[in-house]
Amino acid sequence: MAQAFWASQILYKFTINPTKISINLLYLRIFPPSQNPRFATAVRIVAVYIGLYMFASVGATIFLCTPVARAWDRGVEGHCINLEAFWYSNAISNIVGDIATLALPNPDTTYGTLEPTLWSNIEANTAIFCACLPTLKKLLVAFYHRCTTPTPRDSGTSHHAWERRFSRPLVGWGLTWSI
């Protein structure tokens, strides 16, 4: 089982990294280098970084231990590199490549596009909020009645009456939740 895990780590690195490189190459097809040579250079740098990382991480994974069989069989005499440091450096290098790949196609925000982008984001968030409102109807109705209906303990509209009204637990509101 441990040998299969070791082999799967190698195959994972040979799968995920070429996928990231292909995304970068897709950027070069979508945004031709002739139109933006600086962007094309940045894409190539990120793709080379991911490729070099892939070969380094695969090599390090294969030779985690000396002899190699010690990676899956701790009974074999030998030694291994610091696995915790290896996994942390592996994760950091992977995240750097991911962030660089994701950040590449984002154009610099200019003054002319800032306001329309802001309103587009407000529109999208408002749409999500409105789509969720029907699921909140029973809660909002119960909350409204709770806020507007006096309780026997309330005497007038003193601060303490409002405090008691809002400090009561939600239990007993008769709410049923369904997904």
Side-chain angles (χ1 to χ4, degrees), residues 118-130:
L118 176 66
W119 283 109
S120 294
N121 285 326
I122 291 171
E123 176 189 21
N125 287 304
T126 304
I128 292 168
F129 177 77
C130 291

Short mmCIF file of all heavy atoms in Angstrom, two decimals, residues 118-130:
data_model
loop_
_atom_site.label_atom_id
_atom_site.label_comp_id
_atom_site.label_asym_id
_atom_site.label_seq_id
_atom_site.Cartn_x
_atom_site.Cartn_y
_atom_site.Cartn_z
N LEU A 118 -17.02 47.64 -10.46
CA LEU A 118 -17.62 47.71 -9.13
C LEU A 118 -19.12 47.47 -9.20
O LEU A 118 -19.67 46.67 -8.44
CB LEU A 118 -17.33 49.08 -8.50
CG LEU A 118 -17.97 49.34 -7.14
CD1 LEU A 118 -17.38 48.41 -6.10
CD2 LEU A 118 -17.77 50.78 -6.74
N TRP A 119 -19.81 48.13 -10.14
CA TRP A 119 -21.26 47.96 -10.27
C TRP A 119 -21.61 46.55 -10.73
O TRP A 119 -22.63 46.00 -10.32
CB TRP A 119 -21.85 49.01 -11.20
CG TRP A 119 -21.97 50.32 -10.49
CD1 TRP A 119 -21.23 51.44 -10.70
CD2 TRP A 119 -22.86 50.62 -9.41
NE1 TRP A 119 -21.60 52.42 -9.83
CE2 TRP A 119 -22.60 51.96 -9.02
CE3 TRP A 119 -23.84 49.92 -8.72
CZ2 TRP A 119 -23.28 52.58 -7.99
CZ3 TRP A 119 -24.52 50.53 -7.70
CH2 TRP A 119 -24.25 51.85 -7.34
N SER A 120 -20.76 45.94 -11.55
CA SER A 120 -21.01 44.56 -11.96
C SER A 120 -20.92 43.61 -10.77
O SER A 120 -21.72 42.68 -10.64
CB SER A 120 -20.00 44.13 -13.03
OG SER A 120 -20.20 44.88 -14.21
N ASN A 121 -19.96 43.84 -9.90
CA ASN A 121 -19.83 43.02 -8.69
C ASN A 121 -21.02 43.23 -7.76
O ASN A 121 -21.52 42.28 -7.16
CB ASN A 121 -18.52 43.32 -7.96
CG ASN A 121 -17.34 42.72 -8.65
OD1 ASN A 121 -17.44 41.66 -9.24
ND2 ASN A 121 -16.21 43.40 -8.60
N ILE A 122 -21.47 44.48 -7.61
CA ILE A 122 -22.65 44.76 -6.78
C ILE A 122 -23.87 44.05 -7.36
O ILE A 122 -24.66 43.45 -6.63
CB ILE A 122 -22.88 46.28 -6.66
CG1 ILE A 122 -21.77 46.90 -5.81
CG2 ILE A 122 -24.25 46.58 -6.06
CD1 ILE A 122 -21.78 48.42 -5.81
N GLU A 123 -24.01 44.08 -8.68
CA GLU A 123 -25.14 43.42 -9.33
C GLU A 123 -25.12 41.91 -9.07
O GLU A 123 -26.15 41.32 -8.72
CB GLU A 123 -25.09 43.68 -10.84
CG GLU A 123 -26.17 42.96 -11.61
CD GLU A 123 -25.98 43.06 -13.12
OE1 GLU A 123 -24.85 43.34 -13.58
OE2 GLU A 123 -26.97 42.85 -13.83
N ALA A 124 -23.95 41.30 -9.21
CA ALA A 124 -23.84 39.85 -9.00
C ALA A 124 -24.15 39.48 -7.55
O ALA A 124 -24.87 38.51 -7.29
CB ALA A 124 -22.44 39.37 -9.39
N ASN A 125 -23.63 40.25 -6.61
CA ASN A 125 -23.88 39.95 -5.20
C ASN A 125 -25.34 40.19 -4.83
O ASN A 125 -25.91 39.44 -4.03
CB ASN A 125 -22.95 40.78 -4.30
CG ASN A 125 -21.54 40.27 -4.36
OD1 ASN A 125 -21.29 39.10 -4.10
ND2 ASN A 125 -20.61 41.12 -4.72
N THR A 126 -25.95 41.21 -5.40
CA THR A 126 -27.37 41.46 -5.16
C THR A 126 -28.22 40.32 -5.71
O THR A 126 -29.19 39.90 -5.08
CB THR A 126 -27.80 42.81 -5.78
OG1 THR A 126 -26.97 43.84 -5.25
CG2 THR A 126 -29.24 43.13 -5.49
N ALA A 127 -27.85 39.81 -6.87
CA ALA A 127 -28.59 38.68 -7.46
C ALA A 127 -28.51 37.46 -6.55
O ALA A 127 -29.52 36.77 -6.34
CB ALA A 127 -28.04 38.37 -8.85
N ILE A 128 -27.35 37.18 -6.01
CA ILE A 128 -27.20 36.04 -5.10
C ILE A 128 -28.05 36.25 -3.85
O ILE A 128 -28.76 35.34 -3.40
CB ILE A 128 -25.71 35.83 -4.74
CG1 ILE A 128 -24.93 35.37 -5.97
CG2 ILE A 128 -25.56 34.83 -3.59
CD1 ILE A 128 -23.42 35.41 -5.80
N PHE A 129 -28.01 37.46 -3.30
CA PHE A 129 -28.80 37.78 -2.12
C PHE A 129 -30.30 37.59 -2.40
O PHE A 129 -31.02 36.97 -1.61
CB PHE A 129 -28.51 39.22 -1.68
CG PHE A 129 -29.31 39.66 -0.51
CD1 PHE A 129 -28.99 39.25 0.77
CD2 PHE A 129 -30.41 40.51 -0.67
CE1 PHE A 129 -29.75 39.65 1.87
CE2 PHE A 129 -31.16 40.92 0.41
CZ PHE A 129 -30.83 40.50 1.69
N CYS A 130 -30.76 38.11 -3.53
CA CYS A 130 -32.18 37.99 -3.88
C CYS A 130 -32.58 36.53 -4.10
O CYS A 130 -33.69 36.12 -3.74
CB CYS A 130 -32.50 38.82 -5.12
SG CYS A 130 -32.41 40.60 -4.80
#
